[in-house]
Amino acid sequence: MPQTLLLILLLLAASVIVVTICRRLRLPPILGYLIVGIALGPHALAVVPDDAATRHLAEFGIVFLMFSIGLEFSLPQLRAMRRAVFGLGFSQVAITTIASMIVVQLLGFDWRAGVVLGGALAMSSTAIVSKMLAERSELGTPHGRDIMGILLFQDLAVVAFLILIPALAGSGANVATILAVALAKAVVALTIILFLGQRPMRAWFHIVARQRSPELFVLNVLLVTLGMAELTELAGLSLALGAFLAGMLISETEFRYQVEEDIKPFRDVLLGLFFVTIGMMLDLRGVALHPLELLALLVVPVGAKLLLIILLARAFGAPLATALRTGFYLAQAGEFALVMLALASANTLLSPEFMQLVLASMILSMLIAPLLIENANTWVRRLTANDWLARAAEVTQVAAFTMARQGHVIVCGFGRSGQNLTRLLEREDITYLALDADPQRVRDAADGTSVVYGDASRRETLVSAGIAKARAVVITFADTPTALKILHHVQQLRPELPVIVRTRDDSELDKLLAAGATEVVPEVLEGSLMLASHSLLVLGVPLNRVLQNIRSIREERYGLFRGFFHGASDYEAADNLQPRLRTVLLNERAHAIGRSLDELGVSAWVEVTGVRRRGARSVAPDAGWRFEPGDAVVLLGRPRELGRAEQRLLQGE
């Protein structure tokens, strides 16, 4: 027992350390688990035994993964994406599988090994690709929709392969019979469960949910998942198929999202253990003896898959640029390929030596996947003039709407926050131009003059949006990587321009301020302030005290609000008496260059809230601060005093 506990602790410690490193390097956790398995497995340190008990426990990771896929299965979604799913997705999987089977036979190997290899090669990494699409805000783009459609069909095809691979392990004469029986069982199971199981499943979950017991609900989810898996295994099918069917049953009920949250911890932990066992199968010393074969198995399948997806996307009507991006995103192998290889190895469909090389090549392809995806746009622009033309047309369209604009606000993103902001700008008669990369949202805006299609993270789009004449830039979406790109371009084009950034919380605050943000507005802080104000009012605290507390917190948190909130009746004062912000950019001939803040004496009229120097984070200057060319000085004061201070800084009068 102590030895078992030590083994578990070692696995946990290694997994935590390696997965943390992978996350910091922005690599998928799957690769971390594979590395742990390689290091601790029988072919390296030999700490973890590669026995039947370990593999059987790891198989439950696949059970819960297939259950999660079943939860995502939606007939309306399939109908809406039928071109990408049943057109592109089906064609890609079918052609890859058939072509691999033919090539393997021509090389003198068994056709059944070709089916397994073709099916494994057809798979791409849902975990890597979907994560990077979301991070790059590309899920709604044409190539994003095609990619997700292909991934969805690949996930569904795995179910068929998990039935097919054990059937292929039978003797040559009986393969057709075994396969026909397996498919018949699968059809019967699907029919009974999906058509007769819906109503009883919904009723049972209602009974459990009425008890209002979280632990009972989780126990019930585990019972249903593992129970369905056991039923299909008793019927001669796989555990994974039963879990998939259980997920499909629950996906049509109102309990789907709660079930998904409850099952996630079990799925992630057990799936991590599964990938550890996959890593344990890999013998790096054996693979190192065949470097040329490994290189061929890496380059040829990735290249062939890339070319096939590009050709299929073009055949289904996608522009060349979209087809190229789709190919680059999906060229790598995926986690289900590893699942299929493990099953094929267990059924002795692949020789151990060949299995090692294929496994190593697929893990390497997953390692280079982030590199392919990160550089996809650069390569696409070099390979196609059409993409340049499309982007040039986009920039031209944006520029056409900014010709007559002067002193406008560039609003990056026209989602909920962007729309609320533009309504307030309209009330104050402040002109704006909103950029959004979702064509449907731009069409729904039905504007045509102030809301246009454009990628705000691109330098040329900001230039065409009139950044040279703009008063401010507001980034309304909580996407830090994209916000950092926009801030980088603004710092290069107009470092004195105020940029206000929305973010979810304070975790990226320093990074955004260092990149040149004038102010960062965290959703969590503003939400908590509203929650606190309502709570205090309900508890009987007088309104003026609630407002005073909220104002005090905002003044401490937001440097730009200092001096704005003095009392409840401030709004009644005349506009020209209200303090406001102004940014003054000091050129080489400015009077302030080489002089200290104390020498200039502007602090007697206005407050110098900050100075940004060469793109660095804004700092509050002291009396001895000496100004340099390129400094962007942020002033807070009333209009008349602001004018005097600006004149003193620039001309010395």
Side-chain angles (χ1 to χ4, degrees):
M1 187 68 178
Q3 188 68 26
T4 304
L5 179 59
L6 185 63
L7 183 62
I8 293 171
L9 287 173
L10 185 61
L11 272 175
L12 286 173
S15 299
V16 168
I17 293 168
V18 175
V19 172
T20 300
I21 293 171
C22 284
R23 287 201 175 276
R24 289 185 69 86
L25 296 175
R26 301 188 64 175
L27 295 172
I30 292 170
L31 299 178
Y33 290 121
L34 290 169
I35 292 168
V36 170
I38 293 169
L40 302 183
H43 303 294
L45 298 176
V47 174
V48 181
D50 185 18
D51 54 21
T54 305
R55 288 194 296 271
H56 192 66
L57 179 61
E59 191 177 354
F60 284 105
I62 302 304
V63 167
F64 286 110
L65 179 61
M66 294 304 296
F67 177 76
S68 297
I69 290 173
L71 285 175
E72 295 295 326
F73 187 86
S74 166
L75 290 175
Q77 182 187 20
L78 285 179
R79 281 194 291 269
M81 300 175 66
R82 56 185 176 274
R83 171 193 162 275
V85 177
F86 296 109
L88 269 172
F90 173 78
S91 302
Q92 185 257 328
V93 173
I95 292 173
T96 305
T97 305
I98 293 169
S100 297
M101 184 177 68
I102 293 171
V103 169
V104 166
Q105 275 194 294
L106 290 175
L107 292 173
F109 296 99
D110 192 343
W111 65 272
R112 291 175 292 185
V115 172
V116 173
L117 289 174
L121 178 60
M123 300 298 131
S124 303
S125 177
T126 304
I128 296 173
V129 176
S130 60
K131 179 177 180 290
M132 294 197 71
L133 278 174
E135 285 180 351
R136 294 159 65 90
S137 303
E138 293 178 352
L139 286 169
T141 60
H143 65 274
R145 289 190 289 270
D146 282 352
I147 289 166
M148 292 309 296
I150 294 172
L151 287 173
L152 181 56
F153 187 85
Q154 289 178 1
D155 289 347
L156 296 176
V158 170
V159 180
F161 280 110
L162 292 179
I163 297 171
L164 179 63
I165 290 173
L168 292 175
S171 61
N174 297 327
V175 167
T177 304
I178 294 170
L179 184 57
V181 171
L183 289 174
K185 287 179 180 178
V187 170
V188 171
L190 280 166
T191 304
I192 293 174
I193 291 171
L194 294 182
F195 288 96
L196 301 180
Q198 286 275 345
R199 191 171 295 176
M201 182 67 72
R202 188 187 298 268
W204 175 246
F205 265 86
H206 271 293
I207 292 171
V208 173
R210 281 196 207 104
Q211 311 310 311
R212 300 183 181 277
S213 171
E215 63 271 25
L216 179 61
F217 193 85
V218 173
L219 284 171
N220 183 58
V221 171
L222 293 174
L223 172 66
V224 170
T225 307
L226 298 177
M228 289 287 289
E230 179 63 18
L231 283 175
T232 51
E233 188 177 47
L234 290 174
L237 301 169
S238 68
L239 290 168
L241 177 61
F244 175 77
L245 294 175
M248 286 182 65
L249 279 178
I250 298 171
S251 70
E252 301 298 326
T253 71
E254 60 271 35
F255 304 104
R256 168 188 168 182
Y257 297 105
Q258 183 61 47
V259 168
E260 193 170 14
E261 285 301 311
D262 289 340
I263 210 72
K264 192 174 180 180
F266 299 98
R267 181 196 68 190
D268 292 348
V269 171
L270 290 171
L271 195 58
L273 179 58
F274 170 77
F275 286 115
V276 168
T277 61
I278 293 290
M280 289 165 58
M281 296 166 58
L282 188 59
D283 182 5
L284 291 180
R285 286 173 295 185
V287 169
L289 298 175
H290 305 87
L292 294 178
E293 291 89 339
L294 176 61
L295 184 64
L297 284 171
L298 173 64
V299 174
V300 174
V302 169
K305 189 175 178 182
L306 171 66
L307 182 61
L308 174 63
I309 292 172
I310 292 171
L311 293 175
L312 286 174
R314 291 288 286 158
F316 280 89
L320 179 57
T322 300
L324 286 168
R325 288 189 180 92
T326 306
F328 281 124
Y329 273 65
L330 296 174
Q332 86 291 132
E335 50 273 8
F336 280 122
L338 306 182
V339 174
M340 292 166 61
L341 286 177
L343 185 61
S345 177
N347 286 278
T348 62
L349 288 172
L350 298 173
S351 67
E353 296 80 10
F354 189 56
M355 166 74 176
Q356 289 290 329
L357 289 171
V358 173
L359 187 62
S361 67
M362 288 189 169
I363 292 173
L364 284 175
S365 77
M366 292 171 70
L367 278 169
I368 65 171
L371 180 66
L372 286 174
I373 295 171
E374 285 288 346
N375 293 283
N377 282 334
T378 304
W379 294 332
V380 167
R381 289 171 193 162
R382 291 177 180 173
L383 291 171
T384 172
N386 290 338
D387 193 52
W388 278 110
L389 291 172
R391 292 188 177 276
E394 173 193 319
V395 169
T396 304
Q397 182 190 27
V398 174
F401 292 119
T402 59
M403 294 292 287
R405 280 182 167 81
Q406 186 81 27
H408 59 289
V409 177
I410 300 175
V411 179
C412 304
F414 197 64
R416 222 173 335 184
S417 299
Q419 292 168 34
N420 289 331
L421 169 64
T422 55
R423 289 191 194 103
L424 291 174
L425 293 175
E426 287 170 353
R427 286 186 189 179
E428 297 296 326
D429 291 326
I430 298 173
T431 57
Y432 67 87
L433 184 74
L435 301 171
D436 200 284
D438 186 342
Q440 183 62 46
R441 187 178 291 156
V442 174
R443 281 196 299 270
D444 291 344
D447 185 294
T449 57
S450 296
V451 184
V452 294
Y453 177 78
D455 183 357
S457 66
R458 292 173 52 231
R459 179 190 175 98
E460 55 266 35
T461 303
L462 291 172
V463 171
S464 63
I467 193 171
K469 303 178 292 180
R471 290 171 63 181
V473 174
V474 184
I475 302 172
T476 68
F477 44 78
D479 181 356
T480 300
T482 307
L484 290 171
K485 286 183 185 177
I486 297 171
L487 287 166
H488 173 71
H489 296 319
V490 173
Q491 286 299 306
Q492 288 187 326
L493 296 165
R494 277 192 65 190
E496 82 284 4
L497 191 66
V499 184
I500 297 90
V501 182
R502 170 191 158 207
T503 186
R504 297 197 191 282
D505 51 43
D506 284 344
S507 61
E508 305 286 350
L509 178 68
D510 291 335
K511 187 185 294 185
L512 290 164
L513 290 173
T518 308
E519 193 58 89
V520 179
V521 181
E523 291 178 354
V524 171
L525 174 64
E526 288 303 317
S528 63
L529 288 179
M530 289 305 299
L531 179 65
S533 62
H534 283 282
S535 302
L536 291 172
L537 288 171
V538 169
L539 294 170
V541 178
L543 176 60
N544 62 339
R545 283 173 56 189
V546 173
L547 293 176
Q548 185 180 1
N549 286 328
I550 298 300
R551 286 169 182 159
S552 175
I553 294 171
R554 282 205 175 107
E555 286 183 7
E556 291 173 8
R557 170 58 185 81
Y558 301 116
L560 301 185
F561 278 1
R562 285 199 297 272
F564 277 84
F565 299 103
H566 297 297
S569 60
D570 283 345
Y571 65 90
E572 296 174 356
D575 279 349
N576 62 356
L577 296 179
Q578 291 297 303
R580 43 188 83 199
L581 288 164
R582 181 177 299 178
T583 302
V584 180
L585 182 65
L586 303 181
N587 55 36
E588 293 180 354
R589 293 187 231 169
H591 173 72
I593 301 302
R595 291 180 169 84
S596 70
L597 186 59
D598 194 37
E599 290 173 28
L600 293 166
V602 294
S603 299
W605 308 322
V606 297
E607 180 184 352
V608 182
T609 64
V611 179
R612 293 200 303 275
R613 175 170 291 172
R614 290 187 288 275
R617 178 175 176 173
S618 178
V619 296
D622 56 22
W625 176 280
R626 292 192 178 274
F627 294 99
E628 296 178 3
D631 282 355
V633 187
V634 184
L635 307 176
L636 173 65
R638 293 180 175 84
R640 181 180 295 178
E641 284 76 11
L642 283 172
R644 291 177 65 189
E646 183 175 4
Q647 193 169 23
R648 175 65 62 86
L649 288 170
L650 297 178
Q651 300 172 10
E653 299 173 2

